[in-house]
Amino acid sequence: MPKKIVTFWTFFCVLFVAAQKPYKQNLMLMGSSFDITVVAKDSVEGEGYIQLAASEIERIERLISSWDKNSQTSLINKNAGILPVKVDKELFQLIERSLKISKLTDGAFDISYASMDKIWKFDGSMTEMPSVNKIKESVSKVGYKNIILNTKESSVFLTQKGMKIGFGAIGKGYAADKAKELLIKEGARSGIVNASGDMNTWGDQPNGEPWKVAITNPLDKKKAFALLPIANSAVVTSGNYEKFVKFNGKRYSHIIDPRTGYPSSGIISVTVFAPKSELADALATSVFVMGKEVGLNRINQLPNIECVIVDENGDLSTSDNIKIDKL
């Protein structure tokens, strides 16, 4: 190719990229705040992409919501201990992946957590801890091993009456993944879907630099420990610095261990980097429940997964393969 044509083509590409701008909207979806950012040539294209993402997230909510009495998830819960329920392949596979994460985390992650009695209150109304017997009873119907899948029939059966499943610890991450997947398919070259801390990115910023995420100091949210680049991957941060109770000087998180009924303690913030938000979402919750040492050990055994933990003393710990240059 002649040099002049190469030069013109380079100039055209640079001009094209420079013409792209980020367009962002904040939307209330799935009962949470979603920030959707796309890089597009103009506001019409940008807003069109954002509406596509919003419609996809609303579709996911209709599929997995346990509040919607007409959803397949509600039908599974309604028939607990009675009979298996045939579901769409998409929901079946989400439940199947959830059970694999439960096995991976020794039950620290468990979608049957929805069966727990709500005996812990994090609105300031609790004055004493629940009794040992009450806590034990609260998780009597929880147990991922009692979720029976039939691949041939694409059916889900909860073996105990009163059992329920819910996707509060994985649903927003899954929705972010599906919105990203759709936008890429529709031609959006770059963007971020941020589902209340469940963030998934693709492409680069208009200036060619990667998207970046701040590791915030949960004890002082105006400050950040570090700013890290994320390229075509997901990052999820879970924290208990706003929802917790204290008894006898010990801080208890709103994130409850589904195996014991006791709230997690010792950690105030977990950030997980993973290829998909769904996995990062589930693992962030799991690390809270498992604790710092066990959580980091488990993360270090997983390929392409990294983790940053801030404990209740404000100390920062990381998995083996992530290096942070503090700000």
Side-chain angles (χ1 to χ4, degrees), residues 33-105:
S33 173
F34 276 69
D35 288 317
I36 302 173
T37 303
V38 292
V39 174
K41 63 185 179 183
D42 54 40
S43 62
V44 173
E45 183 179 69
E47 290 171 10
Y49 283 141
I50 290 170
Q51 288 307 308
L52 276 175
S55 296
E56 178 68 351
I57 293 164
E58 288 171 345
R59 182 188 71 81
I60 297 298
E61 181 176 24
R62 289 192 296 271
L63 181 70
I64 70 174
S65 173
S66 57
W67 301 105
D68 180 355
K69 64 180 181 180
N70 297 314
S71 74
Q72 292 184 10
T73 301
S74 291
L75 194 60
I76 292 169
N77 292 341
K78 184 179 179 181
N79 285 281
I82 302 172
L83 51 82
V85 175
K86 186 176 177 65
V87 299
D88 290 348
K89 184 178 179 181
E90 182 179 7
L91 181 59
F92 184 90
Q93 291 177 339
L94 176 60
I95 295 171
E96 191 174 43
R97 292 193 301 274
S98 296
L99 297 187
K100 288 179 180 178
I101 298 171
S102 293
K103 292 175 184 175
L104 178 70
T105 61

Side-chain angles (χ1 to χ4, degrees), residues 196-197 218 236-244 251 253-255 264 267-271 284-285 288 310:
S196 297
V236 169
T237 297
S238 293
N240 76 345
Y241 32 87
E242 293 177 343
K243 290 184 179 181
F244 63 92
R251 178 189 184 112
S253 162
H254 72 286
I255 298 173
S264 60
I267 294 175
I268 57 176
S269 175
V270 175
T271 300
T285 301
F288 254 106
V310 181

Side-chain angles (χ1 to χ4, degrees), residues 1 26 32 62 96 180 188:
M1 185 180 289
N26 176 266
S32 300
R62 289 192 296 271
E96 191 174 43
K180 168 185 169 178

Side-chain angles (χ1 to χ4, degrees), residues 273-316:
F273 296 82
K276 291 193 172 186
S277 294
E278 174 191 312
L279 181 58
D281 199 0
L283 289 176
T285 301
S286 302
V287 170
F288 254 106
V289 171
M290 290 187 287
K292 183 164 70 173
E293 290 185 11
V294 175
L296 284 176
N297 180 267
R298 194 59 49 90
I299 293 294
N300 284 331
Q301 297 176 46
L302 302 175
N304 304 314
I305 311 290
E306 302 300 338
C307 180
V308 177
I309 297 174
V310 181
D311 65 25
E312 59 189 359
N313 298 316
D315 295 327
L316 184 145

